[in-house]
Amino acid sequence: MAQTMVNFRIDEDVKHKMESACKEMGLSISTAFNIFAVKVGNERRIPFEIVADPFYSEANIKVLEQRAADIRSGRSIPKEHDLIEV
């Protein structure tokens, strides 16, 4: 099978964590990415669930930006709340 080079950027901390995890499994990063690529190609899907964090939704960001603007302008005053243990 012919090999090809793929280059992409990844956060340095993410890379170090992945290197460490792969080493514990006896894999190289290259082998781990190859396993991922084969699985995606064969199954035509990402082989794990990807879920958007609702905190970062456009609607929530707008609310947070408005609240921050209100605090900066003095229209709103931040309040302290008791910590609730769950």
Side-chain angles (χ1 to χ4, degrees):
M1 179 184 327
Q3 300 265 319
T4 188
M5 179 71 74
V6 177
N7 294 310
F8 57 90
R9 296 198 178 277
I10 186 171
D11 182 84
E12 189 174 345
D13 291 335
V14 171
K15 179 182 178 250
H16 290 304
K17 287 178 185 177
M18 184 171 179
E19 282 176 326
S20 176
C22 286
K23 185 177 180 181
E24 289 176 14
M25 292 182 273
L27 301 171
S28 67
I29 286 183
S30 181
T31 301
F33 278 117
N34 273 295
I35 291 168
F36 174 77
V38 168
K39 195 150 179 76
V40 169
N42 289 343
E43 297 181 9
R44 312 295 296 167
R45 68 180 189 87
I46 302 296
F48 45 84
E49 185 176 8
I50 299 174
V51 180
D53 185 339
F55 179 83
Y56 297 100
S57 71
E58 188 175 331
N60 194 47
I61 296 299
K62 285 181 182 179
V63 168
L64 293 172
E65 287 172 346
Q66 183 59 53
R67 288 182 182 174
D70 289 347
I71 290 169
R72 283 192 297 273
S73 71
R75 288 189 301 265
S76 180
I77 299 171
K79 299 175 192 170
E80 284 189 34
H81 297 278
D82 291 331
L83 180 63
I84 299 172
E85 297 286 335
V86 179

